[in-house]
Amino acid sequence: MVTLEIKGVSFDYRSIPALRDVTLSVGDSEILTLLGPNGSGKSTLLKCINGILRPHRGVVMIDGRENTRIGRREIARMMSYFQQQGGRPLPLTVFEITLLGRKPYMSWTPDREDLKKVTDALKLLKIEHLATRYFTELSGGEAQKVRIATAIAQDPEIMLLDEPTSNLDLRHQLEIMQIVRTLTRHGVTAIVAMHDVNLASRFSDKIVMLKEGRVIGMGKPKEVITPKNMKLVYGVRAVIHHTFRYPLVTPVEPLES
Ligand code: ADP
Ligand code: MG
């Protein structure tokens, strides 16, 4: 179990303000989703949490320690980070790529536990059959699953997932989110940046809505998915349906800004 607190975090890329005074606490074993239009600061916030970027103001506290004071290897044992852009694909097999998730634990050779965690992660994603295939030769959806398997093999307490369901078909989107849900039942805390409001509504314990680097709304799906927030955050008129235990959104039209 690990606690995560983000206190007054601001970050600028030179003159571009990307985060402005973001404060939130993340509950243990929950799925917290970041929603917001392109450029609202979701990816920047995940990078500040991971410590790849250092906030210009404010702090990220993990178990009461400032993340910038924790070594990279220790951070990597605590949290994994699925990046929105996967970077240049390495000419390695799926098995080898997934084994990279064990790097924070390994000395020069993988041990039994490393191999088991890799196998378990591939099985969880139902991609064992791809184990010996080259990562560079996979379809977009397959490659995405491999990167998620790598993040899981890392055996983290916190998972940062930047648009893990983008570019996937409906079935794969549901599979990924169900896996994230299962992991949180086993004590993992997940922070997920997403565009699909309905998928977020169904799977999130808490949603944080960002706009221009600011937190506009925070709470349970039924508290934050409102016509007012859809207008404020996305600039659309939307109808909210309350047929299920979570609200569903139909975006109707863009509003004049
Ligand atoms: P999101 O993930 O919500 O789309 P980002 O965190 O990627 O948002 O971006 C937030 C803001 O920071 C945007 O205005 C974006 O243009 C800017 N930004 C992001 N990355 C960089 C960068 N490497 N250099 C300069 N500006 C950046
Ligand atoms: Mg992003």
Side-chain angles (χ1 to χ4, degrees):
M1 190 179 123
V2 60
T3 63
L4 181 62
E5 276 179 289
I6 295 137
K7 293 183 187 170
V9 164
S10 296
F11 185 89
D12 303 338
Y13 293 97
R14 291 196 195 86
S15 60
I16 304 166
L19 294 174
R20 302 186 222 192
D21 198 20
V22 171
T23 295
L24 49 109
S25 65
V26 187
D28 188 41
S29 307
E30 72 177 9
I31 300 181
L32 179 141
T33 300
L34 305 174
L35 286 181
N38 293 320
S40 58
K42 303 180 297 295
S43 296
T44 305
L45 181 56
L46 292 177
K47 286 176 189 161
C48 284
I49 294 172
N50 182 278
I52 298 170
L53 296 177
R54 201 189 179 104
H56 296 151
R57 246 178 297 145
V59 287
V60 174
M61 307 292 284
I62 304 170
D63 277 343
R65 294 158 72 199
E66 206 176 312
N67 71 342
T68 51
R69 293 173 184 272
I70 307 174
R72 292 310 303 168
R73 194 173 160 97
E74 194 180 345
I75 292 258
R77 289 185 193 161
M78 289 195 265
M79 59 174 120
S80 61
Y81 171 40
F82 174 92
Q83 297 200 46
Q84 187 177 355
Q85 277 98 14
R88 195 191 308 182
L90 296 165
L92 297 173
T93 66
V94 166
F95 187 86
E96 288 163 339
I97 292 279
T98 312
L99 187 60
L100 291 178
R102 299 303 299 164
K103 203 163 172 284
Y105 302 89
M106 272 161 42
S107 52
W108 62 280
T109 179
D111 65 18
R112 236 170 225 271
E113 191 186 351
D114 296 320
L115 299 177
K116 183 172 179 336
K117 297 269 182 194
V118 170
T119 313
D120 288 351
L122 294 177
K123 280 186 184 153
L124 192 62
L125 273 295
K126 301 198 188 90
I127 51 172
E128 316 100 286
H129 62 285
L130 298 178
T132 58
R133 290 267 303 276
Y134 274 90
F135 184 66
T136 41
E137 292 166 8
L138 301 178
S139 74
E142 289 169 338
Q144 196 140 327
K145 282 187 160 184
V146 173
R147 295 201 295 118
I148 289 169
T150 309
I152 291 170
Q154 203 173 325
D155 199 16
E157 290 177 277
I158 300 170
M159 288 188 84
L160 309 176
L161 300 161
D162 202 348
E163 302 193 18
T165 54
S166 297
N167 312 314
L168 295 181
D169 60 45
L170 281 177
R171 185 188 167 92
H172 287 112
Q173 290 180 25
L174 289 173
E175 280 179 7
I176 297 297
M177 288 316 295
Q178 278 176 348
I179 287 167
V180 175
R181 169 56 70 211
T182 306
L183 292 168
T184 59
R185 292 217 178 94
H186 289 89
V188 171
T189 299
I191 306 178
V192 190
M194 242 195 243
H195 278 301
D196 188 327
V197 180
N198 288 326
L199 201 62
S201 177
R202 169 159 173 202
F203 284 100
S204 308
D205 297 300
K206 198 193 277 174
I207 290 176
V208 172
M209 286 186 163
L210 289 171
K211 189 187 183 188
E212 291 167 6
R214 286 201 177 85
V215 175
I216 298 288
M218 183 170 3
K220 295 197 174 91
K222 63 172 185 282
E223 293 163 348
V224 292
I225 298 178
T226 60
K228 187 166 162 253
N229 279 342
M230 295 309 289
K231 178 178 172 185
L232 209 57
V233 175
Y234 292 102
V236 297
R237 185 165 76 81
V239 178
I240 317 289
H241 312 273
H242 295 279
T243 323
F244 299 107
R245 71 178 163 75
Y246 48 89
L248 286 176
V249 180
T250 304
V252 180
E253 60 189 355
L255 291 163
E256 298 292 325
S257 52

